[in-house]
Amino acid sequence: MKIYVYPHKILATKSRPVKEIDGKLQYLIDEMIELMYKAKGVGLAANQVGEAIRLFVMDVSQEEERKNPIVVINPKITATEGSVTDEEGCLSLPNYSAKVTRAKRIEVKGYDRKGRELRLEGEGLLAKCLQHEIDHLDGICFVDRLSPLKKAIFRKKWPKILAKLNIRDEKE
Ligand code: NI
């Protein structure tokens, strides 16, 4: 399993809902959690690893010792409040970060890996991460949310970052 790098087309793909929670899905979830920790990320969406389904994993506990992975399937944003601008990064955009404006407070409903109803609510890193990951499921990366000026700067910088990391710019 690998993490696809921007601007791979799967990152711009709107993911389809999960219809069945089976053994194959459990395996995918376990692999995603392991990869997220290995890559030192706080969240990872299924399309980032090549599966265009509405599922992401995250861990905003930021504790090295006690890991607390959260699995969210078929999430829906049910409420938002306020607005806040904060720095964001993404495992599909290594060595790049930028400020993004999002809702300050958010409520999300979905399902956990056992198919039980799940409700997450909060602000700060949790709110930021939830919005970032749900964006991925809709084919949106955080750089898509930059102002036209900042996006232009990003577009100039990005090929150089990829070259430095020795990553080929692959769209397919
Ligand atoms: Ni991301």
Side-chain angles (χ1 to χ4, degrees), residues 24-25 31:
K24 217 178 103 190
L25 194 80
E31 293 282 295

Side-chain angles (χ1 to χ4, degrees), residues 48 89-91 132-133 136:
Q48 289 181 276
C90 179
L91 292 175
H132 178 115
E133 299 310 324
H136 273 307

Side-chain angles (χ1 to χ4, degrees), residues 9 14 37 41 47 50 54 59 69 71 76 78-80 91 93 96 98 104 131 142 150 153-154 158 161:
K9 68 177 179 187
K14 191 170 162 71
Y37 287 129
N47 62 333
R54 302 188 80 79
D59 188 344
V71 177
K76 283 217 161 62
T78 45
T80 62
L91 292 175
L93 286 123
Y96 184 79
K104 185 168 186 254
Q131 291 171 83
F142 79 93
K150 283 189 173 168
I153 296 167
F154 161 75
W158 187 239
I161 294 172

Side-chain angles (χ1 to χ4, degrees), residues 53-145:
I53 55 171
R54 302 188 80 79
L55 156 75
F56 64 83
V57 298
M58 66 176 197
D59 188 344
V60 292
S61 61
Q62 294 194 304
E63 281 179 57
E64 275 294 312
E65 302 304 313
R66 239 184 342 182
K67 295 199 185 318
N68 182 28
I70 300 169
V71 177
V72 188
I73 295 169
N74 295 347
K76 283 217 161 62
I77 296 171
T78 45
T80 62
E81 205 186 297
S83 142
V84 66
T85 303
D86 198 8
E87 201 80 14
E88 286 189 31
C90 179
L91 292 175
S92 291
L93 286 123
N95 285 16
Y96 184 79
S97 66
K99 283 198 157 75
V100 181
T101 302
R102 296 192 184 272
K104 185 168 186 254
R105 188 170 186 83
I106 187 172
E107 185 197 76
V108 169
K109 284 181 179 165
Y111 299 88
D112 70 9
R113 65 185 299 171
K114 287 180 176 160
R116 296 176 301 207
E117 278 184 35
L118 185 73
R119 184 177 158 275
L120 296 160
E121 190 197 352
E123 41 190 86
L125 183 60
L126 176 72
K128 180 167 84 171
C129 190
L130 284 170
Q131 291 171 83
H132 178 115
E133 299 310 324
I134 291 170
D135 262 359
H136 273 307
L137 306 185
D138 291 324
I140 299 165
C141 287
F142 79 93
V143 290
D144 299 325
R145 292 204 176 271

Side-chain angles (χ1 to χ4, degrees), residues 5 7 17 28-29 36 61 66 71 113 124 140 152 156 160:
V5 169
L28 174 70
I29 290 166
M36 172 180 73
S61 61
R66 239 184 342 182
V71 177
R113 65 185 299 171
I140 299 165
K156 271 189 109 171
K160 292 171 193 160

